[in-house]
Amino acid sequence: MHTSFVVLVSPVMSLAATLTTPTKVAHRVPLATTPAHSAVHAPVRLSPAAPESIKVSSQKMHFMRQQHVADSATHIDHQELVNRNVRQMTDIVRVAPNLTIQPSFGSAGLNFALRGVGLMDFTQNNTPSVMPYVDGVAYPISIMTSGMLFDMDSISVNPGPGGYTHGQMTTGGEINFHTADPTEQFHAGITEDIASYDRNRVTGFISGPISRSVLFRISGQSMTGGGYQHSASGERFGNANLGALRAKLRWNIDDNTHLDIGGHWTTDQSEAASGHNLYNSYGVPINSDLMQTSWGLDPRFAKIIGIDGSNTKPREDNMFWGANIRFTKDFTWGRLTTLSAYESVDEHELSNQTDSVLSYGNMFRNNQSNVFSQEVKLESINPAARFHWTAGMYYSRTEQAQNFWYDSSDRPGTTPLNKTSYTEGMQTFNQYVELSYRILPKLRLIGSITHESDDRHIRNVTSTNYNLNTGAIEGTPTNFGDAGALANEFSGHVGLQYQFRPNIMGYAMFSRGFKPGGFSANITELASQIKPFKPEQVITYEGGFKTTFFKNKLRFNGAGFYYDYRDQQIVSTVLVPPFGALSGYVNAPRSYIYGAEFDVEAHPIHGLSLTQNFGYQHGVYSQFQSLNRTATTNQFTQTGVWSAINTNYDNYSMGLANLTLSGAATYSWHVLRDYQMTFDVDYSYRGAQTQPQHIGDSGIYRAPAYFLVNSFLTFASPKQHWSATVYAQNLADRHYWLSGGTQATFYGVIPGMPRFVGARLNYTY
């Protein structure tokens, strides 16, 4: 989350004026339910005599400032997450415009994109274009986010280049997750959520004081079932089996000094993502039922890699844990913040890449990674000052050890089983300064500069081929040695913010974003495969406005943007005979993206809330040539020989989902004097989208547009100590895709969730 919001607050707004701004100023953020402070600000001490009133006042001051911040971030509070049934990361796309979160095919890893900028990191060893942050801690390996969406206070989605006021540079943006903080009074709660397909989710928390100055919070979740896919014989697939714990300890050393210690642990034994086969050239039958999938595990493959061969289902066996320490000290002249964090990944992932009973495309990933990060920041804290500043340094070190096993026995002329192993080390050092000065009573000038150094090395890349029948190594393992990639880049932004009236603000921003290069690291058979792809940069132009009208009953925000993209990192196709057309990273020299976003919230009558998000994006490659996967694969099907067919993709569309919409109508009223009923109907729409590996393709490679409708009804006690909710997701039972992928001459898609009907019981003390 951009921690420099105090720098951008309009100077003409006094505190009294600020408190008269809308009751919901950020994108769907009810002030009474949002956290008292962001994860990167000093704790707010609550008076035992009137905790709720002080907390709500602090929330208003914080989130009302967002309406005077020169950005287009989407903010989603705890209640909105509950109302929209956001249980897993891919659900967030239903409430934020121009956001894409897709499962990496056959993996629990995720790919994030904002406004068309994102990296499909199927090898899980490269820096994402859109960085997730949890309580200010960067998660550079996307699978680290598994199971963390519980006891969440808020989420903010920030598009555009980042890293100017914290963390590391990104080209696409960031998603900030702020988990619930300890409270000064004792609170506890538990929620039981049961739904279709035996889905069961239990979450709970305990929070309160240990002493007058030490507070704690412990929370957890358990999620099982929910598998909505099935085999031809009717066997269910896709069940979750996940547990997670989180703990926070806060020591208020004095009114100006605070120490926060946090830790978390997650275990994931879920069945892995599996797709529905739409096309293959092996004669495997294609079924029209999108929810039908297939899988198989060659017992020889299982024996060689040392896993249980009696369970043939693709599956996860992962554990994640981490700890962090934040120290905050306020002085008369500013605030000092330090944040130290350590995150660990232990991943064991089995998948069937072709979704076939014939055991084609068995893949096993063994990934041990750890990430250490350290940040030190100084910032001004007086919102009434004409001059504001933020300066800091961020360091991150990542170490990985991966083994990637792949069974290619289905392809003529291939070595049946390949193991690619390597270690990789990455170090990133970012220094940043942001300055803001009020040059006129209503006009503020904003500027920043960052320098980032990124040094990464992939080491001891070794390719080993095995005989499936005997398990013996065939030939001599090939060691491709080491490769390195070093980048040093300056980035920054400049902008103007003008407060036309207390309720109308406009801004214009020019930014340059940067992201380092990296490596493809799967099925390595040629030395050229470990050559690093280049860094990318994006130059952005953005203008927007934020307004409120009719005594806070209507809020209307909007933004338009244009991105000049250089050396865009994309997953394309490389030819590796005899393995064929494989996914690999390449750079598109020039491309551009443009679009617009609007957000509306209205409260026409008491108890009724209407919200609407609109996102439009369109991307075009202006200079790019690459292997045509479809043509190359079709030629192999006809001739049995792999040979490259390249295509010039100049002026081709990127295939982005051009239009994303979401909206809700929520009405609350009292029954039986003090009890409360809440009824909601909400929807989301996503336009058609082409998978990144199939530029210019249509037909089965283009995910159709889809429209989802959801609803819930809640009955709550007078003081909200308990509530009961019935809900339905995807009421019309629409069938749609989350993502797609190609392996050999198979093309499959991972279906989205069908209709779910459920009930949720909540009790809070």
Side-chain angles (χ1 to χ4, degrees), residues 265-501:
W265 171 85
T266 300
T267 178
D268 186 2
Q269 307 289 322
S270 305
E271 292 167 355
S274 185
H276 171 74
N277 200 301
L278 288 187
Y279 167 83
N280 71 84
S281 60
Y282 286 77
V284 176
I286 303 298
N287 191 285
S288 61
D289 182 0
L290 189 64
M291 297 302 168
Q292 181 172 315
T293 187
S294 299
W295 59 85
L297 177 61
D298 191 321
R300 299 170 300 173
F301 179 88
K303 182 179 180 180
I304 292 174
I305 64 176
I307 64 172
D308 179 13
S310 62
N311 179 6
T312 62
K313 288 185 175 181
R315 56 191 183 271
E316 305 289 337
D317 182 10
N318 308 328
M319 185 176 71
F320 317 102
W321 66 272
N324 57 82
I325 301 175
R326 180 192 304 277
F327 175 79
T328 307
K329 174 70 175 180
D330 286 355
F331 303 93
T332 56
W333 47 267
R335 172 178 298 143
L336 168 67
T337 302
T338 69
L339 176 60
S340 306
Y342 180 86
E343 298 291 332
S344 175
V345 172
D346 186 8
E347 177 187 10
H348 307 270
E349 186 174 65
L350 173 69
S351 65
N352 182 302
Q353 297 285 292
T354 59
D355 312 306
S356 166
V357 295
L358 301 181
S359 307
Y360 292 165
N362 285 155
M363 187 274 287
F364 183 74
R365 183 198 307 274
N366 185 340
N367 176 12
Q368 277 76 45
S369 300
N370 63 78
V371 182
F372 170 78
S373 61
Q374 175 66 59
E375 185 161 22
V376 180
K377 178 165 61 176
L378 288 169
E379 59 185 325
S380 58
I381 56 177
N382 181 7
R386 297 185 67 178
F387 177 65
H388 294 288
W389 52 270
T390 300
M393 297 181 294
Y394 174 85
Y395 171 79
S396 175
R397 186 202 68 226
T398 301
E399 291 289 340
Q400 284 195 331
Q402 286 211 45
N403 293 305
F404 189 92
W405 304 74
Y406 183 71
D407 175 7
S408 61
S409 57
D410 59 299
R411 298 184 220 187
T414 63
T415 300
L417 178 60
N418 174 264
K419 172 190 175 184
T420 296
S421 60
Y422 63 92
T423 62
E424 185 172 355
M426 295 157 272
Q427 291 191 96
T428 300
F429 185 34
N430 183 28
Q431 312 97 56
Y432 53 83
V433 175
E434 182 177 77
L435 306 176
S436 167
Y437 187 71
R438 189 177 73 244
I439 57 178
L440 294 173
K442 295 183 179 181
L443 180 64
R444 181 169 288 274
L445 176 65
I446 307 159
S448 74
I449 186 169
T450 71
H451 172 263
E452 182 168 291
S453 174
D454 184 90
D455 185 11
R456 56 188 61 209
H457 293 268
I458 189 167
R459 301 180 292 258
N460 197 31
V461 181
T462 303
S463 177
T464 306
N465 295 319
Y466 290 82
N467 184 302
L468 266 178
N469 292 318
T470 65
I473 295 176
E474 290 193 342
T476 302
T478 303
N479 189 308
F480 295 99
D482 305 345
L486 175 64
N488 282 279
E489 292 282 345
F490 284 92
S491 299
H493 65 189
V494 293
L496 294 172
Q497 177 182 350
Y498 193 81
Q499 197 74 38
F500 296 94
R501 297 173 59 89

Side-chain angles (χ1 to χ4, degrees), residues 466-735:
Y466 290 82
N467 184 302
L468 266 178
N469 292 318
T470 65
I473 295 176
E474 290 193 342
T476 302
T478 303
N479 189 308
F480 295 99
D482 305 345
L486 175 64
N488 282 279
E489 292 282 345
F490 284 92
S491 299
H493 65 189
V494 293
L496 294 172
Q497 177 182 350
Y498 193 81
Q499 197 74 38
F500 296 94
R501 297 173 59 89
N503 64 322
I504 301 176
M505 182 272 285
Y507 70 92
M509 195 72 68
F510 168 79
S511 308
R512 181 186 186 273
F514 158 79
K515 189 177 84 67
F519 306 94
S520 301
N522 66 311
I523 318 178
T524 304
E525 290 288 337
L526 302 176
S528 60
Q529 289 179 266
I530 66 170
K531 180 182 178 181
F533 54 88
K534 295 188 294 185
E536 70 175 18
Q537 60 173 303
V538 60
I539 299 172
T540 70
Y541 307 83
E542 179 175 336
F545 60 86
K546 295 183 178 181
T547 65
T548 57
F549 301 101
F550 307 120
K551 297 181 180 180
N552 313 326
K553 292 185 178 180
L554 174 66
R555 174 178 52 79
F556 180 39
N557 297 342
F561 59 89
Y562 179 88
Y563 288 6
D564 181 2
Y565 216 162
R566 314 288 180 90
D567 291 321
Q568 178 183 0
Q569 300 167 356
I570 64 173
V571 172
S572 187
T573 304
V574 294
L575 188 60
V576 186
F579 292 87
L582 302 179
S583 295
Y585 298 110
V586 300
N587 292 91
R590 295 294 297 270
S591 54
Y592 61 88
I593 303 171
Y594 60 85
E597 295 163 356
F598 297 97
D599 177 70
V600 182
E601 181 173 341
H603 302 269
I605 61 174
H606 179 71
L608 177 63
S609 174
L610 305 174
T611 62
Q612 176 64 57
N613 272 339
F614 167 91
Y616 175 80
Q617 59 185 357
H618 182 64
V620 175
Y621 295 106
S622 50
Q623 183 183 345
F624 182 42
Q625 293 188 25
S626 184
L627 186 80
N628 187 315
R629 177 188 288 263
T630 302
T632 300
T633 300
N634 288 342
Q635 178 176 267
F636 169 76
T637 302
Q638 297 170 6
T639 66
V641 177
W642 287 109
S643 61
I645 299 178
N646 294 308
T647 298
N648 186 326
Y649 292 106
D650 292 2
N651 300 316
Y652 271 64
S653 169
M654 292 181 187
L656 306 178
N658 292 133
L659 188 62
T660 55
L661 302 171
S662 64
T666 306
Y667 183 63
S668 297
W669 70 97
H670 288 289
V671 296
L672 303 176
R673 292 180 62 87
D674 295 326
Y675 289 83
Q676 181 171 293
M677 297 287 291
T678 302
F679 177 69
D680 170 277
V681 176
D682 63 88
Y683 83 96
S684 62
Y685 170 84
R686 186 173 188 84
Q689 178 175 351
T690 302
Q691 300 307 311
Q693 310 99 309
H694 300 280
I695 305 165
D697 284 327
S698 58
I700 65 170
Y701 300 106
R702 187 161 176 81
Y706 62 87
F707 182 88
L708 307 178
V709 177
N710 316 291
S711 184
F712 72 82
L713 178 66
T714 296
F715 179 67
S717 65
K719 294 185 178 180
Q720 304 287 306
H721 285 312
W722 61 264
S723 64
T725 301
V726 292
Y727 62 86
Q729 294 178 266
N730 190 4
L731 269 168
D733 199 23
R734 300 293 187 188
H735 286 190

Side-chain angles (χ1 to χ4, degrees), residues 104-140:
S104 183
F105 201 74
S107 171
L110 298 172
N111 300 307
F112 302 90
L114 268 169
R115 295 177 173 175
V117 181
L119 179 69
M120 186 177 179
D121 190 17
F122 65 98
T123 53
Q124 300 182 23
N125 67 316
N126 296 293
T127 302
S129 301
V130 178
M131 181 70 73
Y133 287 85
V134 180
D135 292 334
V137 177
Y139 280 24

